[in-house]
Amino acid sequence: MKFYNADFSPNCLRVRAVANELGIKLDIVDVDLRKGAPDAMKALNANGKVPVLDDKSFGLWESRAISAYLAGKDPAKRLYPDDIVKRALIDQWSYWQAIHLGPAMQKVGFERAMKKKFGMGEPDESKIVDSVAEIDKFLKVLDNGLGDRDWIAGDLSIADFALASTFMFRDAANISLASVPRVAAWAERLESRDSWKKAVAPVMAFLAA
Ligand SMILES: N[C@@H](CCC(=O)N[C@@H](CS)C(=O)NCC(=O)O)C(=O)O
């Protein structure tokens, strides 16, 4: 399966980690978005955004949908189980990450870490006051949601990978988890998995460059 990827992208990271967890080898095609997406990718995703999966000409975009599709290829691993309650919880946290936590984290990550890296100027804290306050609120929601569970929906699932990728800029963007110990422990648990370490290595190389 061909996978159109960008190393700095949290959306690509979550899919690479899910594929690693499943033992699925993706044929990575690195895309330099500043130069524009390749035609073969745009033919599959007219949005021109990564990630895009090409599974024998079946094109699929939206990272969480790709994660669910890959999980469906190996149901025994139960990363996206059939049970409707479990699946509903996985969807709930995945959508929440996509619509609420993720955008706030991305705004702060861009302003504090990526803006300078992309040569787009110095960080401007006045632009992210609302997002910083939102993150504070959302992290408490996640901390309560985890409760005494190891994983957000009970067992390890694609929702954990969806959520985890949103934290990839946290050190570079100075986002502390000190006040949310269950989130900190969960992040450490997930980030110590081989699947994650392998997926995140190119991100760390990108941030360090
Ligand atoms: N909701 C999409 C977001 C995809 C997205 O925004 N990708 C970014 C990289 S993180 C991108 O390709 N940006 C390039 C552009 O917008 O031209 C997903 O989860 O896959």
Side-chain angles (χ1 to χ4, degrees):
M1 276 179 280
K2 207 178 270 184
F3 182 68
Y4 292 93
N5 172 68
D7 283 345
F8 71 84
S9 160
N11 300 303
C12 295
L13 168 61
R14 70 173 58 91
V15 178
R16 292 198 308 273
V18 165
N20 292 341
E21 190 68 37
L22 293 163
I24 292 175
K25 183 170 169 347
L26 297 173
D27 181 8
I28 305 273
V29 181
D30 283 314
V31 175
D32 183 345
L33 292 162
R34 286 165 298 189
K35 292 189 183 145
D39 289 344
M41 183 189 121
K42 278 194 282 191
L44 298 174
N45 181 8
N47 295 298
K49 290 180 190 284
V50 289
V52 183
L53 186 76
D54 178 354
D55 186 8
K56 299 189 196 100
S57 297
F58 167 55
L60 188 62
W61 39 275
E62 284 299 327
S63 56
R64 298 156 199 83
I66 299 172
S67 294
Y69 176 74
L70 293 178
K73 288 194 175 268
D74 190 352
K77 294 251 170 70
R78 303 185 57 75
L79 290 186
Y80 193 46
D82 282 342
D83 177 276
I84 61 164
V85 172
K86 286 186 178 157
R87 193 168 270 223
L89 282 174
I90 292 166
D91 289 342
Q92 170 191 279
W93 286 107
S94 298
Y95 296 159
W96 178 79
Q97 183 278 327
I99 295 161
H100 300 290
L101 177 66
M105 292 285 262
Q106 226 157 330
K107 272 190 199 139
V108 174
F110 172 76
E111 199 58 42
R112 288 186 180 164
M114 303 305 281
K115 193 175 169 185
K116 213 169 167 182
K117 209 159 182 48
F118 287 138
M120 295 168 78
E122 292 296 316
D124 179 352
E125 285 291 317
S126 70
K127 290 196 171 151
I128 50 171
V129 174
D130 291 350
S131 301
V132 170
E134 276 184 337
I135 289 172
D136 204 40
K137 190 178 76 184
F138 293 148
L139 286 181
K140 289 189 181 84
V141 173
L142 183 56
D143 206 61
N144 285 331
L146 279 161
D148 57 7
R149 288 184 248 177
D150 278 356
W151 306 113
I152 194 63
D155 298 317
L156 179 69
S157 74
I158 58 171
D160 294 290
F161 291 101
L163 287 162
S165 55
T166 224
F167 289 95
M168 73 181 213
F169 297 128
R170 75 175 181 281
D171 289 339
N174 203 17
I175 296 168
S176 168
L177 302 184
S179 65
V180 282
R182 290 176 288 203
V183 176
W186 160 85
E188 206 171 297
R189 201 173 296 124
L190 191 125
E191 289 166 0
S192 65
R193 297 184 80 79
D194 287 345
S195 59
W196 181 264
K197 285 191 210 158
K198 192 174 160 205
V200 86
V203 179
M204 293 307 154
F206 175 83
L207 288 174

